[in-house]
mmCIF file of all heavy atoms in Angstrom:
data_model
loop_
_atom_site.group_PDB
_atom_site.id
_atom_site.type_symbol
_atom_site.label_atom_id
_atom_site.label_comp_id
_atom_site.label_asym_id
_atom_site.label_seq_id
_atom_site.Cartn_x
_atom_site.Cartn_y
_atom_site.Cartn_z
ATOM 1 N N HIS A 236 -2.190 18.743 18.582
ATOM 2 C CA HIS A 236 -2.851 20.091 18.560
ATOM 3 C C HIS A 236 -3.375 20.446 19.939
ATOM 4 O O HIS A 236 -3.509 21.604 20.284
ATOM 5 C CB HIS A 236 -3.981 20.072 17.641
ATOM 6 C CG HIS A 236 -5.128 19.261 18.031
ATOM 7 N ND1 HIS A 236 -5.215 17.901 17.854
ATOM 8 C CD2 HIS A 236 -6.365 19.597 18.581
ATOM 9 C CE1 HIS A 236 -6.413 17.374 18.274
ATOM 10 N NE2 HIS A 236 -7.014 18.463 18.782
ATOM 11 N N ARG A 248 1.519 26.304 8.703
ATOM 12 C CA ARG A 248 0.694 26.447 7.449
ATOM 13 C C ARG A 248 1.427 27.272 6.378
ATOM 14 O O ARG A 248 1.032 27.291 5.239
ATOM 15 C CB ARG A 248 -0.572 27.045 7.754
ATOM 16 C CG ARG A 248 -1.503 26.109 8.635
ATOM 17 C CD ARG A 248 -2.930 26.696 8.731
ATOM 18 N NE ARG A 248 -3.757 25.895 9.536
ATOM 19 C CZ ARG A 248 -5.027 26.146 9.766
ATOM 20 N NH1 ARG A 248 -5.540 27.223 9.265
ATOM 21 N NH2 ARG A 248 -5.784 25.392 10.442
ATOM 22 N N PHE A 567 -6.772 9.098 10.907
ATOM 23 C CA PHE A 567 -6.383 9.218 12.255
ATOM 24 C C PHE A 567 -5.731 7.971 12.839
ATOM 25 O O PHE A 567 -5.724 7.736 14.072
ATOM 26 C CB PHE A 567 -7.534 9.686 13.176
ATOM 27 C CG PHE A 567 -8.204 10.907 12.751
ATOM 28 C CD1 PHE A 567 -9.562 10.897 12.301
ATOM 29 C CD2 PHE A 567 -7.536 12.126 12.668
ATOM 30 C CE1 PHE A 567 -10.179 12.003 11.833
ATOM 31 C CE2 PHE A 567 -8.163 13.320 12.214
ATOM 32 C CZ PHE A 567 -9.494 13.245 11.811
ATOM 33 N N ASP A 648 -2.984 11.530 8.914
ATOM 34 C CA ASP A 648 -3.904 11.644 7.786
ATOM 35 C C ASP A 648 -3.623 10.594 6.785
ATOM 36 O O ASP A 648 -3.075 10.831 5.723
ATOM 37 C CB ASP A 648 -3.737 13.029 7.171
ATOM 38 C CG ASP A 648 -4.378 14.188 8.095
ATOM 39 O OD1 ASP A 648 -5.089 13.856 8.980
ATOM 40 O OD2 ASP A 648 -4.183 15.330 7.699
ATOM 41 N N ASN A 668 -7.221 13.573 4.328
ATOM 42 C CA ASN A 668 -8.182 13.365 5.409
ATOM 43 C C ASN A 668 -9.043 14.600 5.546
ATOM 44 O O ASN A 668 -8.779 15.593 6.178
ATOM 45 C CB ASN A 668 -7.411 13.235 6.789
ATOM 46 C CG ASN A 668 -8.311 12.837 7.931
ATOM 47 O OD1 ASN A 668 -9.541 12.750 7.746
ATOM 48 N ND2 ASN A 668 -7.736 12.554 9.031
ATOM 49 N N SER A 669 -10.217 14.475 4.836
ATOM 50 C CA SER A 669 -11.182 15.583 4.850
ATOM 51 C C SER A 669 -11.828 15.789 6.173
ATOM 52 O O SER A 669 -12.510 16.795 6.459
ATOM 53 C CB SER A 669 -12.165 15.391 3.711
ATOM 54 O OG SER A 669 -12.891 14.176 3.921
ATOM 55 N N ASN A 670 -11.736 14.797 7.084
ATOM 56 C CA ASN A 670 -12.356 14.923 8.397
ATOM 57 C C ASN A 670 -11.424 15.765 9.367
ATOM 58 O O ASN A 670 -11.831 16.087 10.466
ATOM 59 C CB ASN A 670 -12.475 13.571 9.031
ATOM 60 C CG ASN A 670 -13.752 12.933 8.480
ATOM 61 O OD1 ASN A 670 -14.401 13.425 7.508
ATOM 62 N ND2 ASN A 670 -14.112 11.706 8.908
ATOM 63 N N ARG A 671 -10.167 16.003 9.007
ATOM 64 C CA ARG A 671 -9.280 16.714 9.884
ATOM 65 C C ARG A 671 -9.837 18.088 10.197
ATOM 66 O O ARG A 671 -10.146 18.888 9.283
ATOM 67 C CB ARG A 671 -7.845 16.871 9.217
ATOM 68 C CG ARG A 671 -6.892 17.698 10.058
ATOM 69 C CD ARG A 671 -6.399 16.999 11.332
ATOM 70 N NE ARG A 671 -5.662 15.795 11.057
ATOM 71 C CZ ARG A 671 -5.073 15.033 12.055
ATOM 72 N NH1 ARG A 671 -5.186 15.410 13.298
ATOM 73 N NH2 ARG A 671 -4.424 13.942 11.715
ATOM 74 N N GLY A 672 -9.983 18.448 11.426
ATOM 75 C CA GLY A 672 -10.559 19.693 11.852
ATOM 76 C C GLY A 672 -12.049 19.850 11.782
ATOM 77 O O GLY A 672 -12.624 20.893 12.117
ATOM 78 N N ALA A 673 -12.713 18.784 11.394
ATOM 79 C CA ALA A 673 -14.210 18.843 11.379
ATOM 80 C C ALA A 673 -14.833 18.798 12.808
ATOM 81 O O ALA A 673 -14.146 18.490 13.679
ATOM 82 C CB ALA A 673 -14.763 17.676 10.515
ATOM 83 N N ASP A 674 -16.097 18.967 12.876
ATOM 84 C CA ASP A 674 -16.826 19.001 14.216
ATOM 85 C C ASP A 674 -16.604 17.647 14.885
ATOM 86 O O ASP A 674 -16.809 16.651 14.295
ATOM 87 C CB ASP A 674 -18.305 19.256 14.030
ATOM 88 C CG ASP A 674 -18.996 19.346 15.346
ATOM 89 O OD1 ASP A 674 -18.481 20.038 16.244
ATOM 90 O OD2 ASP A 674 -20.111 18.833 15.427
ATOM 91 N N LYS A 675 -16.137 17.722 16.111
ATOM 92 C CA LYS A 675 -15.911 16.600 17.015
ATOM 93 C C LYS A 675 -14.835 15.637 16.453
ATOM 94 O O LYS A 675 -14.767 14.395 16.751
ATOM 95 C CB LYS A 675 -17.193 15.796 17.210
ATOM 96 C CG LYS A 675 -18.310 16.578 18.009
ATOM 97 C CD LYS A 675 -19.527 15.807 18.265
ATOM 98 C CE LYS A 675 -20.570 16.714 18.930
ATOM 99 N NZ LYS A 675 -21.769 15.888 19.150
ATOM 100 N N GLN A 676 -13.923 16.165 15.647
ATOM 101 C CA GLN A 676 -12.805 15.402 15.021
ATOM 102 C C GLN A 676 -11.511 16.078 15.453
ATOM 103 O O GLN A 676 -11.524 17.313 15.803
ATOM 104 C CB GLN A 676 -12.946 15.352 13.500
ATOM 105 C CG GLN A 676 -14.157 14.627 12.991
ATOM 106 C CD GLN A 676 -14.022 13.126 12.951
ATOM 107 O OE1 GLN A 676 -13.040 12.611 13.433
ATOM 108 N NE2 GLN A 676 -15.029 12.449 12.534
ATOM 109 N N PRO A 677 -10.362 15.354 15.470
ATOM 110 C CA PRO A 677 -9.131 15.904 15.814
ATOM 111 C C PRO A 677 -8.842 17.131 14.948
ATOM 112 O O PRO A 677 -9.084 17.119 13.732
ATOM 113 C CB PRO A 677 -8.168 14.758 15.615
ATOM 114 C CG PRO A 677 -8.925 13.557 15.777
ATOM 115 C CD PRO A 677 -10.318 13.844 15.256
ATOM 116 N N GLY A 678 -8.254 18.171 15.528
ATOM 117 C CA GLY A 678 -7.861 19.284 14.784
ATOM 118 C C GLY A 678 -6.508 19.224 14.194
ATOM 119 O O GLY A 678 -5.946 18.105 14.279
ATOM 120 N N VAL A 679 -6.034 20.290 13.685
ATOM 121 C CA VAL A 679 -4.682 20.255 13.039
ATOM 122 C C VAL A 679 -3.633 20.134 14.138
ATOM 123 O O VAL A 679 -3.840 20.445 15.332
ATOM 124 C CB VAL A 679 -4.347 21.537 12.241
ATOM 125 C CG1 VAL A 679 -5.351 21.655 11.088
ATOM 126 C CG2 VAL A 679 -4.459 22.767 13.130
ATOM 127 N N ASP A 680 -2.501 19.602 13.744
ATOM 128 C CA ASP A 680 -1.335 19.476 14.604
ATOM 129 C C ASP A 680 -0.093 19.720 13.731
ATOM 130 O O ASP A 680 -0.206 19.951 12.585
ATOM 131 C CB ASP A 680 -1.361 18.146 15.384
ATOM 132 C CG ASP A 680 -1.308 16.898 14.534
ATOM 133 O OD1 ASP A 680 -0.474 16.944 13.526
ATOM 134 O OD2 ASP A 680 -2.085 15.951 14.848
ATOM 135 N N ASN A 683 0.178 17.150 10.994
ATOM 136 C CA ASN A 683 -0.952 17.120 10.094
ATOM 137 C C ASN A 683 -1.558 18.530 10.119
ATOM 138 O O ASN A 683 -2.563 18.776 10.822
ATOM 139 C CB ASN A 683 -1.982 16.111 10.584
ATOM 140 C CG ASN A 683 -1.394 14.734 10.648
ATOM 141 O OD1 ASN A 683 -1.366 13.996 9.713
ATOM 142 N ND2 ASN A 683 -0.934 14.384 11.919
ATOM 143 N N PRO A 684 -1.022 19.473 9.440
ATOM 144 C CA PRO A 684 -1.213 20.919 9.637
ATOM 145 C C PRO A 684 -2.376 21.537 8.920
ATOM 146 O O PRO A 684 -2.623 22.738 9.033
ATOM 147 C CB PRO A 684 0.058 21.526 9.169
ATOM 148 C CG PRO A 684 0.552 20.688 8.012
ATOM 149 C CD PRO A 684 0.145 19.295 8.496
ATOM 150 N N ARG A 685 -3.198 20.743 8.203
ATOM 151 C CA ARG A 685 -4.239 21.373 7.343
ATOM 152 C C ARG A 685 -5.623 20.907 7.600
ATOM 153 O O ARG A 685 -5.860 19.645 7.757
ATOM 154 C CB ARG A 685 -3.899 21.080 5.819
ATOM 155 C CG ARG A 685 -2.565 21.793 5.416
ATOM 156 C CD ARG A 685 -2.428 21.864 3.943
ATOM 157 N NE ARG A 685 -2.098 20.613 3.247
ATOM 158 C CZ ARG A 685 -1.897 20.469 1.963
ATOM 159 N NH1 ARG A 685 -2.030 21.532 1.129
ATOM 160 N NH2 ARG A 685 -1.558 19.275 1.399
ATOM 161 N N VAL A 686 -6.520 21.876 7.830
ATOM 162 C CA VAL A 686 -7.994 21.550 8.005
ATOM 163 C C VAL A 686 -8.504 21.043 6.679
ATOM 164 O O VAL A 686 -8.115 21.468 5.569
ATOM 165 C CB VAL A 686 -8.686 22.865 8.412
ATOM 166 C CG1 VAL A 686 -10.265 22.569 8.470
ATOM 167 C CG2 VAL A 686 -8.285 23.288 9.834
ATOM 168 N N ASN A 687 -9.428 20.044 6.741
ATOM 169 C CA ASN A 687 -10.046 19.504 5.593
ATOM 170 C C ASN A 687 -8.974 19.187 4.503
ATOM 171 O O ASN A 687 -8.909 19.703 3.409
ATOM 172 C CB ASN A 687 -11.005 20.476 4.971
ATOM 173 C CG ASN A 687 -11.761 19.917 3.731
ATOM 174 O OD1 ASN A 687 -11.829 18.711 3.589
ATOM 175 N ND2 ASN A 687 -12.392 20.757 2.921
ATOM 176 N N ASN A 688 -8.076 18.268 4.925
ATOM 177 C CA ASN A 688 -6.884 17.918 4.107
ATOM 178 C C ASN A 688 -7.285 17.111 2.862
ATOM 179 O O ASN A 688 -7.207 15.947 2.850
ATOM 180 C CB ASN A 688 -5.856 17.218 4.945
ATOM 181 C CG ASN A 688 -4.567 16.929 4.176
ATOM 182 O OD1 ASN A 688 -4.366 17.454 3.168
ATOM 183 N ND2 ASN A 688 -3.763 16.081 4.760
ATOM 184 N N ASP A 724 -5.539 26.123 2.688
ATOM 185 C CA ASP A 724 -5.088 24.778 2.980
ATOM 186 C C ASP A 724 -5.138 23.819 1.771
ATOM 187 O O ASP A 724 -4.846 22.555 1.962
ATOM 188 C CB ASP A 724 -6.040 24.232 4.104
ATOM 189 C CG ASP A 724 -5.571 24.731 5.469
ATOM 190 O OD1 ASP A 724 -4.409 24.912 5.702
ATOM 191 O OD2 ASP A 724 -6.450 24.941 6.357
#
Side-chain angles (χ1 to χ4, degrees):
H236 72 279
R248 290 188 182 182
F567 305 114
D648 286 349
N668 185 355
S669 58
N670 283 4
R671 177 70 66 176
D674 184 42
K675 297 181 181 179
Q676 296 282 2
V679 297
D680 59 45
N683 304 275
R685 297 197 280 183
V686 172
N687 183 20
N688 182 12
D724 280 326

